[in-house]
Amino acid sequence: MADPQGKSSSSFSLIFMGLMILVFWLFMIRPQAKKAKQQKTFINDLKKGDKVVTIAGIHGTINKINEDGTLQLEVSPGSYIKIEKSTISLEWSAAVNKVTETK
């Protein structure tokens, strides 16, 4: 017999919505938060002499880390630019360093 008040369908809808939220959190929010945490750790662990790539694609070696959240990047011998730490790409820098290590 069908439930005249529709309680079973409303409880099914609540369970379904809960499962959708859980799946959304597992596949969207959690990985993005994990990646942001890795990026922050990477930025905080930068040191002089590290080879990095910016999000604009500029390759260089860190020459100096300033207290104001910037760093001095040597892009060619004797040529320096001042950039924000937050512009360093974790993925591209890791790929450049991986290629360098295998050579």
Side-chain angles (χ1 to χ4, degrees):
M1 285 223 198
D3 189 5
Q5 296 174 348
K7 289 184 179 180
S8 65
S9 66
S10 66
S11 63
F12 176 75
S13 295
L14 278 174
I15 291 171
F16 185 71
M17 286 297 285
L19 286 174
M20 282 180 45
I21 291 170
L22 178 66
V23 167
F24 183 76
W25 180 78
L26 283 174
F27 291 107
M28 301 288 283
I29 297 170
R30 188 171 171 251
Q32 191 174 21
K34 186 177 178 183
K35 188 174 181 180
K37 185 177 178 182
Q38 287 176 335
Q39 177 74 16
K40 185 176 179 181
T41 303
F42 173 72
I43 295 295
N44 290 333
D45 291 344
L46 290 174
K47 59 188 180 298
K48 183 177 178 177
D50 287 348
K51 293 183 180 187
V52 295
V53 180
T54 67
I55 57 175
I58 299 170
H59 294 241
T61 305
I62 296 174
N63 186 46
K64 181 181 177 185
I65 299 176
N66 303 319
E67 297 296 322
D68 61 351
T70 62
L71 48 90
Q72 193 173 26
L73 193 67
E74 184 175 20
V75 291
S76 64
S79 179
Y80 302 97
I81 58 173
K82 184 176 181 179
I83 62 169
E84 293 289 326
K85 278 183 169 183
S86 60
T87 63
I88 304 297
S89 171
L90 169 64
E91 293 85 14
W92 292 350
S93 296
V96 165
N97 288 323
K98 190 174 186 178
V99 170
T100 305
E101 290 173 2
T102 58
K103 289 184 178 180

